[in-house]
């Protein structure tokens, strides 16, 4: 069942960047791609518990700020060591300048 | 078995590599089951190596990460719950990879002529291999193993440098999980902890001890903290934070001796000034590469096991990677360096695995490391030693990102201190620019309104 929840405003995230969003005490990461599309994933790296929002976004890749584990944030796919587990992604929609995430 | 292992001239390396790989590479032995060794065996399988792989480690544990030992392992679960090591590869994962793991096993000799590693089981319990004065004879049980190899990887790491003073045995060292548990058990709130050394281990232990409610004094021989690798302005920021947290941190202090006192505590005697009483003494005065096996086997050593840019030792069938090796770095004029960091252990493991299989890949990764103290995080990329001058980018959030540039304008280092991992993005982009040997315009580099990624992409 869809559970669309407000995450942030579109301008809160810079182009090709990521911010943290805390919804009901759970951390998420909200991404804005180079093409100004928005994406959402779990907030913490699947390797160790570090916030991905501190990491670097280059194209469609987010890199963990600690161990450089990489994911495609559009699909959640892990891109090799030290990542063993993919990242959970969430559907996103943008309405009236607000980014909504479907937390299911 | 592979070709004979006599030391060959430089020029022969690549030829031998190709031959051995295609014909006679059935077994690889990896000595050292830390981050580097564990990563290497996984990478060997990832690259399709189907022969036998043996991973040998002295400790009782399967490979685990060392960075948390000075931080979370000391502070987390202060409610008496013992933290478990953060595994790099657990038993199931290594079984899945068909890697034969020999824990609590100490290699005593490498027989290069017969291409055999000789090893002995060490006494059960926590084998640190790290205690001052530990020798190859310590704790060995009457049980020996012989492991033939076609190719060998030395990932033997480093050990804590012992204090060169009388009473050194009274100071705890921190290298292994067992060391961390011992130290953790001694961090009683209200007790006075004396830390000798204001390097990374010393400062991280000091922060952890404060977080556990201990009173903390840090004694450093040099005039400032982190003198080896970190620019003074950043080291001073971390020191200021320690002072704010109530740590008594003193420089230019020469510790002469550690004595025990009747009530169970210690006194630390200084060359000048009053003695310092302590409930617990910890020493963090640096690390030394574990080169003994390599040196005894006649391999070239030079501040570590000397390898070339392929991480190959003076024996073409033996490679070395991680804290134990020194290597020429192409980004720094081929200067031989040795790095003690998680990233280097991890990345060299991958390159070593490729080259153990005959890949011929050079290691040119930019040095990078981090340190966490309280809620502050330091990240540093490159080598400030090679910088002729330093400039700063002062961000709106108060963080100052430093850039070190060579005489010719090439970016060679970058570092910053900020809350949590707030400096990670900038230092990471700078690291990529260093890797590209970028010569960025200073006015753009220092302008916080100019996106660093744009400067990076201008290099493409």
């Amino acid at each position: 069942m869809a559970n669309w929840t407000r995450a942030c405003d579109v301008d809160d995230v810079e182009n090709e960047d990521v911010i943290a969003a805390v919804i009901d005490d759970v951390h998420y990461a909200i991404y804005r791609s180079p093409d100004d599309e928005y994406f959402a994933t779990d907030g913490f790296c699947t390797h160790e518990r570090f916030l991905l929002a501190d990491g670097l976004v280059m194209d469609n890749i987010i890199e963990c700020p600690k161990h450089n584990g990489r994911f495609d944030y559009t699909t959640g796919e892990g891109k090799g060591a030290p990542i063993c587990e993919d990242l959970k992604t969430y559907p996103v929609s943008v309405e009236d300048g607000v980014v909504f995430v479907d937390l299911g | 078995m592979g070709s004979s292992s006599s030391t060959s001239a430089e020029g022969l390396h690549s030829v031998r590599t190709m031959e051995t790989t295609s014909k006679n590479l059935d077994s690889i032995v990896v000595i050292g089951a830390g981050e580097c060794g564990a990563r290497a065996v996984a990478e060997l399988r990832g690259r399709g190596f189907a022969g036998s792989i043996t991973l040998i480690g002295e400790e009782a544990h399967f490979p685990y990460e060392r960075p948390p030992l000075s931080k979370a392992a000391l502070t987390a679960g202060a409610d008496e719950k013992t933290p478990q090591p953060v595994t790099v590869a657990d038993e199931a994962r290594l079984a899945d990879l068909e890697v034969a793991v020999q824990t609590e096993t100490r290699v005593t000799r490498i027989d290069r002529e017969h291409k055999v590693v000789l090893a002995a089981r060490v006494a059960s319990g926590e084998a640190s291999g790290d205690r001052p004065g530990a020798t190859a004879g310590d704790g060995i049980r009457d049980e020996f193993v012989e492991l033939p190899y076609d190719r060998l990887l030395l990932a033997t790491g480093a050990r804590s440098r012992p204090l060169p003073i009388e009473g050194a045995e009274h100071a705890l060292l921190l290298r292994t999980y067992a060391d961390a548990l011992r130290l953790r058990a001694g961090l009683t709130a209200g007790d006075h902890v004396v830390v000798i050394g204001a390097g990374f281990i010393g400062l991280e232990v000091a922060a952890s001890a404060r977080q556990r409610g201990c009173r903390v004094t840090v004694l450093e021989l040099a005039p400032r903290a982190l003198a080896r690798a970190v620019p003074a302005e950043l080291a001073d920021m971390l020191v200021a934070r320690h002072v704010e947290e109530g740590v008594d941190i003193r420089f230019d202090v020469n510790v002469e001796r550690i004595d025990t006192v009747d009530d169970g505590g210690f006194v630390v005697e200084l060359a000048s000034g009053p003695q310092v009483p302590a409930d617990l003494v910890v020493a963090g005065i640096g690390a030394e590469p574990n080169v003994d096996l390599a040196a005894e086997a006649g391999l070239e050593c030079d501040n570590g096991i000397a390898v070339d840019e392929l991480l190959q030792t003076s024996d073409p069938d033996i490679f070395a990677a991680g804290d134990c090796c020194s290597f020429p770095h192409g980004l720094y004029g081929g200067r031989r360096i040795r790095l003690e960091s998680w990233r280097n252990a991890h990345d060299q493991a991958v390159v070593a695995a490729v080259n153990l299989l005959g890949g011929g890949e050079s290691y040119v990764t930019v040095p990078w490391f981090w340190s966490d103290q309280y809620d502050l995080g330091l990240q540093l990329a490159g080598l400030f030693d090679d910088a002729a001058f330093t400039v700063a980018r002062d961000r709106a959030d108060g963080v100052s990102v430093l850039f070190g540039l060579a005489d010719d304008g090439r970016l060679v280092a970058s570092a910053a201190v900020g809350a949590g991992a707030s400096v990670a993005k900038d230092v990471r982009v700078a690291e990529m620019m260093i890797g590209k040997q970028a010569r960025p315009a200073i006015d753009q580099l220092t302008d916080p309104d100019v996106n660093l990624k744009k400067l990076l992409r201008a290099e493409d």
Side-chain angles (χ1 to χ4, degrees), chain B residues 359-442:
Chain B
E361 192 177 300
S362 289
Y363 184 75
V364 288
T365 306
V366 177
W368 176 88
F369 65 86
W370 80 86
S371 176
D372 293 331
Q373 297 166 36
Y374 310 104
D375 61 343
L376 290 181
L378 162 78
Q379 293 207 359
L380 192 152
L383 300 175
F384 274 94
D385 290 354
D386 284 50
F389 63 102
T390 300
V391 297
R393 162 180 286 237
D394 296 320
R395 300 195 320 203
D397 64 355
V399 166
S400 189
V401 182
L402 298 188
F403 299 97
L405 298 108
D407 277 329
D408 59 2
R410 202 163 36 93
L411 185 64
V412 293
S414 177
V417 170
S422 63
V423 305
K425 291 178 191 179
D426 285 346
V427 175
R428 177 68 177 120
V429 178
E431 180 204 324
M432 290 189 268
M433 291 170 70
I434 295 165
K436 288 177 182 289
Q437 304 192 293
R439 288 178 171 77
I442 305 281

Side-chain angles (χ1 to χ4, degrees), chain B residues 185-266:
Chain B
L187 296 178
T188 307
D191 274 6
H192 186 213
V193 175
V194 172
V195 179
I196 301 172
F200 286 113
I201 294 292
L203 292 184
E204 288 178 4
V205 166
S208 298
R210 276 305 295 149
Q211 284 164 268
R212 291 288 302 275
C214 300
R215 291 175 296 126
V216 179
T217 300
V218 178
L219 306 174
E220 168 59 52
L221 181 62
R224 73 166 177 95
L226 304 171
R228 196 157 62 93
V230 179
E233 47 264 69
L234 299 181
D236 291 348
M237 282 174 67
L238 293 169
V239 167
R241 184 52 187 276
H242 279 276
V243 171
E244 227 172 79
E245 296 284 343
V247 174
D248 178 4
I249 181 162
R250 308 180 201 170
F251 299 100
D252 296 305
V253 174
N254 193 359
V255 174
E256 274 198 337
R257 196 171 73 245
I258 304 167
D259 289 329
T260 52
V261 291
D262 290 343
D263 67 1
F266 307 94

Side-chain angles (χ1 to χ4, degrees), chain B residues 141-182:
Chain B
R141 294 198 305 238
D142 192 17
E143 191 184 335
F144 296 89
V145 284
E146 278 192 21
L147 298 157
Y149 67 86
D150 294 320
R151 286 273 164 90
L152 180 63
L153 175 61
L154 303 175
T156 51
R159 57 179 172 246
S160 307
R161 180 173 294 141
L163 276 174
I165 59 169
E166 200 182 318
E169 68 277 14
H170 302 309
L172 295 182
L173 302 174
L174 180 55
R175 184 77 196 171
T176 65
Y177 173 68
D179 292 338
L181 289 189
R182 211 174 290 128

